[in-house]
Amino acid sequence: MANIISETVIRNGKKVEFIWHPREILENVILHQVYGFLVTKDNLAVLVRDKEEKRFTLPGGKIEKGEMAHDAFIRECIEEAQIQPHNPLLLGSLEYINPSGKDDEDKHHQEIRYFSIADNFKKFEPLKNGFETEERFFVYYENLPDYVPWLSKSETGKAQYNDLVKLITKK
């Protein structure tokens, strides 16, 4: 059985609950965003930085209306990291529950996480095709929490990172 992790945080004075569901996409919960861990065969993880941003993030973004999470992950990786993911594996979903949200999506949705090998990619072109990504960066997966702080600061972030590490070290 999957190890479901939950935590409650205070955002803008209101309680928000996060629940990590390993290897699962929840039925009847709005698909909001998708992010993923692209890792090279040399164990380098891909991070991207948007223009006018200082921080690096995982490739990903909003799931478009009618789009499947898997397809959104592939599209976002191509748009942002300029890398075609190979056989993405579902890592899990992060459920977001905010009773004070402004609409149904803001009150309850899920963000999907994938893992994929990143290989056979070319030189990165900043702001290619009008997309906002200005930089692509590679970091050893062991150092990801140094660049993506929620992977080590939140319980659900730690759970996602631990599930990633299990996949990588299983190779």
Side-chain angles (χ1 to χ4, degrees):
M1 185 166 152
N3 190 14
I4 295 173
I5 303 291
S6 68
E7 64 186 319
T8 302
V9 299
I10 304 298
R11 284 206 174 157
N12 301 321
K14 307 286 184 180
K15 287 185 180 183
V16 177
E17 186 175 9
F18 293 92
I19 306 168
W20 173 242
H21 300 271
R23 298 176 304 281
E24 182 180 8
I25 294 178
L26 305 171
E27 291 185 33
N28 302 317
V29 176
I30 296 170
L31 295 172
H32 179 62
Q33 294 180 325
V34 62
Y35 287 91
F37 298 93
L38 289 170
V39 179
T40 69
K41 292 178 182 177
D42 296 326
N43 291 327
L44 294 171
V46 178
L47 295 174
V48 295
R49 184 180 60 77
D50 287 350
K51 65 182 176 185
E52 300 176 17
E53 289 280 335
K54 292 183 190 230
R55 66 186 174 103
F56 284 91
T57 63
L58 300 171
K62 184 109 170 98
I63 298 171
E64 295 176 358
K65 186 173 177 126
E67 190 175 36
M68 302 297 293
H70 179 269
D71 298 330
F73 174 65
I74 292 170
R75 176 183 52 76
E76 288 287 349
C77 288
I78 293 168
E79 290 175 1
E80 293 189 358
Q82 299 172 22
I83 295 174
Q84 171 77 45
H86 292 257
N87 300 318
L89 297 171
L90 175 65
L91 199 59
S93 64
L94 181 65
E95 185 177 8
Y96 173 91
I97 303 170
N98 176 11
S100 301
K102 63 184 181 308
D103 57 28
D104 287 345
E105 185 169 10
D106 192 38
K107 288 179 181 177
H108 190 202
H109 65 258
Q110 61 185 318
E111 296 181 3
I112 311 304
R113 303 287 189 262
Y114 282 96
F115 165 80
S116 181
I117 296 296
D119 61 4
N120 195 25
F121 47 89
K122 298 177 179 149
K123 183 178 177 184
F124 180 79
E125 296 179 43
L127 309 174
K128 184 178 181 180
N129 298 327
F131 292 107
E132 68 278 357
T133 308
E134 191 166 56
E135 189 175 358
R136 178 178 72 194
F137 181 69
F138 294 87
V139 59
Y140 282 103
Y141 79 88
E142 296 98 332
N143 298 327
L144 268 173
D146 296 335
Y147 293 88
V148 183
W150 56 265
L151 290 174
S152 63
K153 292 186 177 174
S154 74
E155 293 306 310
T156 55
K158 289 176 191 175
Q160 292 171 63
Y161 182 69
N162 289 337
D163 288 349
L164 169 70
V165 170
K166 287 176 194 171
L167 274 175
I168 292 172
T169 57
K170 191 165 71 169
K171 290 195 239 180

